[in-house]
mmCIF file of all heavy atoms in Angstrom:
data_model
loop_
_atom_site.group_PDB
_atom_site.id
_atom_site.type_symbol
_atom_site.label_atom_id
_atom_site.label_comp_id
_atom_site.label_asym_id
_atom_site.label_seq_id
_atom_site.Cartn_x
_atom_site.Cartn_y
_atom_site.Cartn_z
ATOM 1 N N GLN A 222 -161.787 -116.737 11.084
ATOM 2 C CA GLN A 222 -161.021 -115.531 10.715
ATOM 3 C C GLN A 222 -161.289 -114.470 11.673
ATOM 4 O O GLN A 222 -162.111 -114.252 12.440
ATOM 5 C CB GLN A 222 -161.536 -115.035 9.321
ATOM 6 C CG GLN A 222 -161.404 -115.912 8.160
ATOM 7 C CD GLN A 222 -159.977 -116.338 8.081
ATOM 8 O OE1 GLN A 222 -159.161 -115.614 7.840
ATOM 9 N NE2 GLN A 222 -159.632 -117.675 7.862
ATOM 10 N N PRO A 223 -160.201 -113.491 11.765
ATOM 11 C CA PRO A 223 -160.244 -112.459 12.714
ATOM 12 C C PRO A 223 -161.238 -111.387 11.970
ATOM 13 O O PRO A 223 -161.525 -111.331 10.880
ATOM 14 C CB PRO A 223 -158.837 -111.825 12.828
ATOM 15 C CG PRO A 223 -158.341 -112.186 11.314
ATOM 16 C CD PRO A 223 -158.921 -113.472 11.038
ATOM 17 N N GLU A 224 -161.600 -110.391 12.924
ATOM 18 C CA GLU A 224 -162.402 -109.286 12.471
ATOM 19 C C GLU A 224 -161.473 -108.195 12.028
ATOM 20 O O GLU A 224 -160.650 -107.686 12.766
ATOM 21 C CB GLU A 224 -163.348 -108.779 13.582
ATOM 22 C CG GLU A 224 -164.019 -107.515 13.289
ATOM 23 C CD GLU A 224 -164.831 -106.946 14.523
ATOM 24 O OE1 GLU A 224 -164.778 -107.736 15.500
ATOM 25 O OE2 GLU A 224 -165.262 -105.871 14.469
ATOM 26 N N GLU A 225 -161.530 -107.829 10.738
ATOM 27 C CA GLU A 225 -160.587 -106.872 10.192
ATOM 28 C C GLU A 225 -161.133 -105.492 10.492
ATOM 29 O O GLU A 225 -162.223 -105.119 10.176
ATOM 30 C CB GLU A 225 -160.593 -107.022 8.678
ATOM 31 C CG GLU A 225 -159.599 -106.155 7.967
ATOM 32 C CD GLU A 225 -159.450 -106.410 6.577
ATOM 33 O OE1 GLU A 225 -159.149 -107.555 6.070
ATOM 34 O OE2 GLU A 225 -159.804 -105.494 5.779
ATOM 35 N N LEU A 226 -160.231 -104.758 11.264
ATOM 36 C CA LEU A 226 -160.691 -103.377 11.600
ATOM 37 C C LEU A 226 -160.060 -102.266 10.573
ATOM 38 O O LEU A 226 -160.768 -101.348 10.448
ATOM 39 C CB LEU A 226 -160.039 -103.019 13.027
ATOM 40 C CG LEU A 226 -160.504 -104.021 14.168
ATOM 41 C CD1 LEU A 226 -159.836 -103.794 15.399
ATOM 42 C CD2 LEU A 226 -162.095 -104.014 14.301
ATOM 43 N N SER A 227 -158.923 -102.602 10.093
ATOM 44 C CA SER A 227 -158.493 -101.584 9.048
ATOM 45 C C SER A 227 -157.385 -102.286 8.271
ATOM 46 O O SER A 227 -156.704 -103.253 8.770
ATOM 47 C CB SER A 227 -157.853 -100.387 9.702
ATOM 48 O OG SER A 227 -156.700 -100.676 10.407
ATOM 49 N N LEU A 228 -157.103 -101.913 6.998
ATOM 50 C CA LEU A 228 -156.113 -102.429 6.236
ATOM 51 C C LEU A 228 -155.570 -101.261 5.313
ATOM 52 O O LEU A 228 -156.298 -100.552 4.850
ATOM 53 C CB LEU A 228 -156.929 -103.451 5.268
ATOM 54 C CG LEU A 228 -155.839 -104.217 4.277
ATOM 55 C CD1 LEU A 228 -156.263 -105.653 4.118
ATOM 56 C CD2 LEU A 228 -155.652 -103.570 3.106
ATOM 57 N N ARG A 229 -154.223 -101.195 5.426
ATOM 58 C CA ARG A 229 -153.562 -100.143 4.565
ATOM 59 C C ARG A 229 -152.384 -100.674 3.817
ATOM 60 O O ARG A 229 -151.385 -101.316 4.312
ATOM 61 C CB ARG A 229 -153.051 -99.098 5.503
ATOM 62 C CG ARG A 229 -152.286 -97.882 4.857
ATOM 63 C CD ARG A 229 -151.853 -96.783 5.875
ATOM 64 N NE ARG A 229 -151.222 -97.369 7.049
ATOM 65 C CZ ARG A 229 -149.891 -97.279 7.112
ATOM 66 N NH1 ARG A 229 -149.087 -96.935 6.156
ATOM 67 N NH2 ARG A 229 -149.315 -97.769 8.299
ATOM 68 N N LYS A 230 -152.538 -100.590 2.434
ATOM 69 C CA LYS A 230 -151.494 -101.053 1.529
ATOM 70 C C LYS A 230 -150.411 -99.928 1.497
ATOM 71 O O LYS A 230 -150.671 -98.899 1.491
ATOM 72 C CB LYS A 230 -152.136 -101.450 0.173
ATOM 73 C CG LYS A 230 -152.990 -102.546 0.117
ATOM 74 C CD LYS A 230 -153.436 -102.834 -1.290
ATOM 75 C CE LYS A 230 -152.499 -103.711 -2.001
ATOM 76 N NZ LYS A 230 -153.012 -104.214 -3.341
ATOM 77 N N ARG A 231 -149.207 -100.500 1.356
ATOM 78 C CA ARG A 231 -148.078 -99.464 1.096
ATOM 79 C C ARG A 231 -147.150 -100.265 0.002
ATOM 80 O O ARG A 231 -147.313 -101.349 -0.148
ATOM 81 C CB ARG A 231 -147.529 -99.131 2.358
ATOM 82 C CG ARG A 231 -147.011 -100.408 3.212
ATOM 83 C CD ARG A 231 -146.352 -99.840 4.504
ATOM 84 N NE ARG A 231 -145.629 -100.866 5.061
ATOM 85 C CZ ARG A 231 -146.124 -101.702 6.069
ATOM 86 N NH1 ARG A 231 -147.336 -101.405 6.448
ATOM 87 N NH2 ARG A 231 -145.451 -102.675 6.559
ATOM 88 N N PRO A 232 -146.216 -99.466 -0.444
ATOM 89 C CA PRO A 232 -145.338 -100.189 -1.422
ATOM 90 C C PRO A 232 -144.569 -101.385 -0.694
ATOM 91 O O PRO A 232 -143.999 -101.281 0.330
ATOM 92 C CB PRO A 232 -144.150 -99.087 -1.736
ATOM 93 C CG PRO A 232 -145.066 -97.860 -1.448
ATOM 94 C CD PRO A 232 -145.884 -98.097 -0.372
ATOM 95 N N PHE A 233 -144.736 -102.493 -1.310
ATOM 96 C CA PHE A 233 -144.206 -103.720 -0.852
ATOM 97 C C PHE A 233 -144.600 -104.204 0.613
ATOM 98 O O PHE A 233 -143.908 -104.704 1.350
ATOM 99 C CB PHE A 233 -142.713 -103.647 -0.880
ATOM 100 C CG PHE A 233 -142.142 -103.420 -2.364
ATOM 101 C CD1 PHE A 233 -141.620 -102.138 -2.556
ATOM 102 C CD2 PHE A 233 -142.146 -104.410 -3.150
ATOM 103 C CE1 PHE A 233 -141.147 -101.973 -3.974
ATOM 104 C CE2 PHE A 233 -141.720 -104.303 -4.603
ATOM 105 C CZ PHE A 233 -141.305 -103.017 -4.843
ATOM 106 N N GLY A 234 -145.854 -103.822 0.966
ATOM 107 C CA GLY A 234 -146.223 -104.222 2.232
ATOM 108 C C GLY A 234 -147.635 -103.882 2.538
ATOM 109 O O GLY A 234 -148.451 -103.401 1.742
ATOM 110 N N LEU A 235 -148.049 -104.184 3.697
ATOM 111 C CA LEU A 235 -149.554 -104.146 4.283
ATOM 112 C C LEU A 235 -149.425 -104.088 5.612
ATOM 113 O O LEU A 235 -148.658 -104.543 6.380
ATOM 114 C CB LEU A 235 -150.039 -105.429 3.884
ATOM 115 C CG LEU A 235 -151.568 -105.661 3.848
ATOM 116 C CD1 LEU A 235 -152.237 -104.666 2.904
ATOM 117 C CD2 LEU A 235 -152.020 -107.111 3.545
ATOM 118 N N ALA A 236 -150.374 -103.192 6.208
ATOM 119 C CA ALA A 236 -150.515 -102.930 7.682
ATOM 120 C C ALA A 236 -151.919 -103.269 7.990
ATOM 121 O O ALA A 236 -152.943 -102.655 7.333
ATOM 122 C CB ALA A 236 -150.222 -101.558 8.088
ATOM 123 N N VAL A 237 -152.269 -104.216 8.826
ATOM 124 C CA VAL A 237 -153.612 -104.699 9.132
ATOM 125 C C VAL A 237 -153.840 -104.621 10.607
ATOM 126 O O VAL A 237 -153.064 -105.055 11.293
ATOM 127 C CB VAL A 237 -153.888 -106.051 8.626
ATOM 128 C CG1 VAL A 237 -155.265 -106.483 8.762
ATOM 129 C CG2 VAL A 237 -153.463 -106.270 7.184
ATOM 130 N N LYS A 238 -155.053 -104.140 11.026
ATOM 131 C CA LYS A 238 -155.418 -104.262 12.442
ATOM 132 C C LYS A 238 -156.677 -105.180 12.442
ATOM 133 O O LYS A 238 -157.605 -104.952 11.640
ATOM 134 C CB LYS A 238 -155.871 -102.733 12.938
ATOM 135 C CG LYS A 238 -154.632 -101.933 12.900
ATOM 136 C CD LYS A 238 -155.193 -100.531 13.537
ATOM 137 C CE LYS A 238 -154.057 -99.540 13.629
ATOM 138 N NZ LYS A 238 -152.866 -99.830 14.513
ATOM 139 N N VAL A 239 -156.616 -106.141 13.416
ATOM 140 C CA VAL A 239 -157.578 -107.080 13.600
ATOM 141 C C VAL A 239 -157.976 -107.374 14.957
ATOM 142 O O VAL A 239 -157.210 -107.005 15.880
ATOM 143 C CB VAL A 239 -157.168 -108.513 12.959
ATOM 144 C CG1 VAL A 239 -156.811 -108.422 11.494
ATOM 145 C CG2 VAL A 239 -156.047 -109.089 13.666
ATOM 146 N N HIS A 240 -159.200 -107.711 15.204
ATOM 147 C CA HIS A 240 -159.765 -108.114 16.533
ATOM 148 C C HIS A 240 -159.879 -109.585 16.420
ATOM 149 O O HIS A 240 -160.360 -110.156 15.521
ATOM 150 C CB HIS A 240 -161.174 -107.468 16.871
ATOM 151 C CG HIS A 240 -161.687 -107.942 17.919
ATOM 152 N ND1 HIS A 240 -162.834 -108.718 17.922
ATOM 153 C CD2 HIS A 240 -161.453 -107.845 19.259
ATOM 154 C CE1 HIS A 240 -163.274 -109.042 19.155
ATOM 155 N NE2 HIS A 240 -162.354 -108.555 19.964
ATOM 156 N N VAL A 241 -159.410 -110.271 17.490
ATOM 157 C CA VAL A 241 -159.380 -111.648 17.659
ATOM 158 C C VAL A 241 -160.606 -112.129 18.525
ATOM 159 O O VAL A 241 -160.499 -112.139 19.666
ATOM 160 C CB VAL A 241 -158.118 -112.197 18.089
ATOM 161 C CG1 VAL A 241 -158.086 -113.822 18.249
ATOM 162 C CG2 VAL A 241 -156.933 -111.664 17.318
ATOM 163 N N PRO A 242 -161.723 -112.489 17.830
ATOM 164 C CA PRO A 242 -162.882 -112.678 18.722
ATOM 165 C C PRO A 242 -162.862 -114.103 19.385
ATOM 166 O O PRO A 242 -162.263 -114.919 19.023
ATOM 167 C CB PRO A 242 -164.086 -112.756 17.672
ATOM 168 C CG PRO A 242 -163.459 -113.082 16.395
ATOM 169 C CD PRO A 242 -162.030 -112.589 16.391
ATOM 170 N N ALA A 243 -163.484 -114.096 20.677
ATOM 171 C CA ALA A 243 -163.517 -115.253 21.433
ATOM 172 C C ALA A 243 -164.293 -116.314 20.754
ATOM 173 O O ALA A 243 -164.028 -117.539 21.174
ATOM 174 C CB ALA A 243 -164.100 -114.875 22.760
ATOM 175 N N SER A 244 -164.988 -116.005 19.745
ATOM 176 C CA SER A 244 -165.750 -117.049 18.994
ATOM 177 C C SER A 244 -165.022 -117.860 17.993
ATOM 178 O O SER A 244 -165.521 -118.707 17.434
ATOM 179 C CB SER A 244 -166.985 -116.443 18.241
ATOM 180 O OG SER A 244 -166.555 -115.525 17.459
ATOM 181 N N LEU A 245 -163.710 -117.584 17.848
ATOM 182 C CA LEU A 245 -162.934 -118.355 16.875
ATOM 183 C C LEU A 245 -162.814 -119.726 17.350
ATOM 184 O O LEU A 245 -162.551 -120.082 18.450
ATOM 185 C CB LEU A 245 -161.500 -117.765 16.846
ATOM 186 C CG LEU A 245 -161.171 -116.537 16.138
ATOM 187 C CD1 LEU A 245 -159.656 -116.130 16.315
ATOM 188 C CD2 LEU A 245 -161.527 -116.634 14.670
ATOM 189 N N GLY A 246 -163.029 -120.584 16.314
ATOM 190 C CA GLY A 246 -162.989 -122.085 16.686
ATOM 191 C C GLY A 246 -161.690 -122.601 16.994
ATOM 192 O O GLY A 246 -161.536 -123.631 17.647
ATOM 193 N N TRP A 247 -160.535 -121.873 16.731
ATOM 194 C CA TRP A 247 -159.141 -122.144 17.099
ATOM 195 C C TRP A 247 -159.039 -122.235 18.549
ATOM 196 O O TRP A 247 -158.083 -122.854 18.967
ATOM 197 C CB TRP A 247 -158.268 -121.117 16.327
ATOM 198 C CG TRP A 247 -158.451 -121.022 14.950
ATOM 199 C CD1 TRP A 247 -158.774 -119.874 14.239
ATOM 200 C CD2 TRP A 247 -158.209 -122.101 13.949
ATOM 201 N NE1 TRP A 247 -158.814 -120.217 12.840
ATOM 202 C CE2 TRP A 247 -158.533 -121.487 12.686
ATOM 203 C CE3 TRP A 247 -158.006 -123.455 13.987
ATOM 204 C CZ2 TRP A 247 -158.403 -122.180 11.486
ATOM 205 C CZ3 TRP A 247 -157.996 -124.155 12.854
ATOM 206 C CH2 TRP A 247 -158.262 -123.553 11.545
ATOM 207 N N PHE A 248 -159.873 -121.512 19.332
ATOM 208 C CA PHE A 248 -159.703 -121.465 20.777
ATOM 209 C C PHE A 248 -160.334 -122.738 21.395
ATOM 210 O O PHE A 248 -159.972 -123.040 22.575
ATOM 211 C CB PHE A 248 -160.264 -120.264 21.446
ATOM 212 C CG PHE A 248 -159.568 -118.955 21.048
ATOM 213 C CD1 PHE A 248 -160.293 -117.845 20.483
ATOM 214 C CD2 PHE A 248 -158.325 -118.823 21.400
ATOM 215 C CE1 PHE A 248 -159.669 -116.737 20.032
ATOM 216 C CE2 PHE A 248 -157.582 -117.586 21.042
ATOM 217 C CZ PHE A 248 -158.263 -116.546 20.499
ATOM 218 N N HIS A 249 -161.094 -123.371 20.669
ATOM 219 C CA HIS A 249 -161.980 -124.495 21.218
ATOM 220 C C HIS A 249 -160.901 -125.593 21.510
ATOM 221 O O HIS A 249 -160.284 -126.214 20.581
ATOM 222 C CB HIS A 249 -162.919 -125.019 20.348
ATOM 223 C CG HIS A 249 -163.776 -126.146 20.763
ATOM 224 N ND1 HIS A 249 -164.710 -126.018 21.868
ATOM 225 C CD2 HIS A 249 -163.880 -127.368 20.542
ATOM 226 C CE1 HIS A 249 -165.260 -127.148 22.134
ATOM 227 N NE2 HIS A 249 -164.790 -128.050 21.322
ATOM 228 N N GLY A 250 -160.622 -125.928 22.825
ATOM 229 C CA GLY A 250 -159.795 -126.996 23.121
ATOM 230 C C GLY A 250 -158.215 -126.636 23.162
ATOM 231 O O GLY A 250 -157.417 -127.466 23.365
ATOM 232 N N HIS A 251 -157.834 -125.399 22.930
ATOM 233 C CA HIS A 251 -156.492 -124.896 22.807
ATOM 234 C C HIS A 251 -156.294 -123.637 23.711
ATOM 235 O O HIS A 251 -156.097 -122.565 23.210
ATOM 236 C CB HIS A 251 -156.151 -124.525 21.430
ATOM 237 C CG HIS A 251 -154.740 -124.584 21.157
ATOM 238 N ND1 HIS A 251 -154.050 -123.310 21.164
ATOM 239 C CD2 HIS A 251 -153.872 -125.409 20.841
ATOM 240 C CE1 HIS A 251 -152.805 -123.557 20.881
ATOM 241 N NE2 HIS A 251 -152.570 -124.823 20.801
ATOM 242 N N PHE A 252 -156.235 -123.760 24.930
ATOM 243 C CA PHE A 252 -156.381 -124.910 25.880
ATOM 244 C C PHE A 252 -157.621 -124.486 26.759
ATOM 245 O O PHE A 252 -157.906 -123.238 26.924
ATOM 246 C CB PHE A 252 -155.069 -124.877 26.830
ATOM 247 C CG PHE A 252 -153.945 -125.114 25.984
ATOM 248 C CD1 PHE A 252 -153.102 -124.274 25.415
ATOM 249 C CD2 PHE A 252 -153.543 -126.439 25.663
ATOM 250 C CE1 PHE A 252 -151.935 -124.468 24.687
ATOM 251 C CE2 PHE A 252 -152.381 -126.948 24.964
ATOM 252 C CZ PHE A 252 -151.737 -125.758 24.402
ATOM 253 N N PRO A 253 -158.291 -125.580 27.274
ATOM 254 C CA PRO A 253 -159.646 -125.291 27.789
ATOM 255 C C PRO A 253 -159.651 -124.143 28.966
ATOM 256 O O PRO A 253 -160.607 -123.308 28.957
ATOM 257 C CB PRO A 253 -159.880 -126.622 28.431
ATOM 258 C CG PRO A 253 -159.198 -127.550 27.602
ATOM 259 C CD PRO A 253 -158.023 -126.978 27.213
ATOM 260 N N ASP A 254 -158.744 -124.098 29.838
ATOM 261 C CA ASP A 254 -158.815 -123.149 30.937
ATOM 262 C C ASP A 254 -158.043 -121.877 30.616
ATOM 263 O O ASP A 254 -158.307 -120.791 31.226
ATOM 264 C CB ASP A 254 -158.176 -123.742 32.243
ATOM 265 C CG ASP A 254 -159.007 -124.861 32.686
ATOM 266 O OD1 ASP A 254 -160.193 -124.832 32.401
ATOM 267 O OD2 ASP A 254 -158.389 -125.772 33.277
ATOM 268 N N HIS A 255 -157.170 -121.873 29.567
ATOM 269 C CA HIS A 255 -156.494 -120.707 29.171
ATOM 270 C C HIS A 255 -156.227 -120.570 27.737
ATOM 271 O O HIS A 255 -155.120 -120.827 27.171
ATOM 272 C CB HIS A 255 -154.989 -120.683 29.861
ATOM 273 C CG HIS A 255 -155.061 -120.728 31.361
ATOM 274 N ND1 HIS A 255 -155.385 -119.597 32.107
ATOM 275 C CD2 HIS A 255 -154.923 -121.812 32.227
ATOM 276 C CE1 HIS A 255 -155.394 -119.999 33.349
ATOM 277 N NE2 HIS A 255 -155.099 -121.217 33.498
ATOM 278 N N PRO A 256 -157.357 -120.269 26.959
ATOM 279 C CA PRO A 256 -157.144 -120.293 25.532
ATOM 280 C C PRO A 256 -156.204 -119.364 24.981
ATOM 281 O O PRO A 256 -156.060 -118.201 25.345
ATOM 282 C CB PRO A 256 -158.652 -120.013 24.962
ATOM 283 C CG PRO A 256 -159.275 -119.123 26.130
ATOM 284 C CD PRO A 256 -158.611 -119.672 27.455
ATOM 285 N N ILE A 257 -155.521 -119.875 23.969
ATOM 286 C CA ILE A 257 -154.437 -119.030 23.112
ATOM 287 C C ILE A 257 -154.641 -119.382 21.668
ATOM 288 O O ILE A 257 -155.082 -120.526 21.250
ATOM 289 C CB ILE A 257 -153.066 -119.202 23.597
ATOM 290 C CG1 ILE A 257 -152.686 -120.757 23.407
ATOM 291 C CG2 ILE A 257 -152.891 -118.984 25.069
ATOM 292 C CD1 ILE A 257 -151.147 -120.871 23.648
ATOM 293 N N LEU A 258 -154.269 -118.345 20.811
ATOM 294 C CA LEU A 258 -154.471 -118.543 19.470
ATOM 295 C C LEU A 258 -153.232 -119.414 18.931
ATOM 296 O O LEU A 258 -151.986 -119.001 19.095
ATOM 297 C CB LEU A 258 -154.438 -117.190 18.770
ATOM 298 C CG LEU A 258 -154.577 -117.281 17.149
ATOM 299 C CD1 LEU A 258 -155.994 -117.818 16.820
ATOM 300 C CD2 LEU A 258 -154.355 -115.838 16.604
#
């Protein structure tokens, strides 16, 4: 999961700020030299 920095609810919506840590398992092997989410 990303690190949630802030979350703001609004009528019929949501605004979220997140940090995508390098420790995410999703980066493992996707791709070894140039990891992408």
Side-chain angles (χ1 to χ4, degrees):
Q222 298 300 313
E224 176 188 347
E225 187 178 297
L226 302 175
S227 69
L228 185 144
R229 183 173 47 96
K230 286 181 92 169
R231 55 181 193 264
F233 302 105
L235 194 64
V237 187
K238 292 184 182 294
V239 298
H240 172 247
V241 182
S244 61
L245 283 176
W247 306 118
F248 291 125
H249 184 71
H251 196 262
F252 297 93
D254 295 330
H255 302 286
I257 63 172
L258 185 67

